[in-house]
Amino acid sequence: MRPLRLGPERCRSSTGARFELADLRGADLTSTDVTAASMTGAVADATAIWPSGFDAAAAGVLTAGNDAPPLVPQSSHDRPR
């Protein structure tokens, strides 16, 4: 699986970026303005790279262990039929 990389051209929190329940393990968010993004319940690990000065825990991001399984789909559209 390729790491998620979100640059300023892909995500600007001023547009109401929502990362609730997102799997951000391995994500590189260094070029992303996440100051106003909603991140409650998102999951990250030690490989996630945050913008300088960003406090992921204070933003509601949960820390996953190295052996944590992928997140379960939260939408009926994502579930196998």
Side-chain angles (χ1 to χ4, degrees), residues 11-20 32-34 36-39:
C11 174
R12 294 193 186 272
S13 61
S14 60
T15 62
R18 296 180 61 186
F19 291 99
E20 295 105 342
T32 305
D33 178 7
V34 294
S38 177
M39 298 217 168

Side-chain angles (χ1 to χ4, degrees), residues 40-75:
T40 303
V43 176
D45 62 8
T47 64
I49 305 169
W50 303 101
S52 179
F54 180 73
D55 185 346
V61 178
L62 306 173
T63 302
N66 292 338
D67 58 349
L71 295 178
V72 176
Q74 298 296 316
S75 167

Side-chain angles (χ1 to χ4, degrees), residues 1-6 22-30 43-50 64 66:
M1 174 169 43
R2 288 184 358 188
L4 173 68
R5 298 191 192 287
L6 297 175
D23 189 340
L24 299 174
R25 290 176 281 192
D28 180 350
L29 298 159
T30 53
V43 176
D45 62 8
T47 64
I49 305 169
W50 303 101
N66 292 338

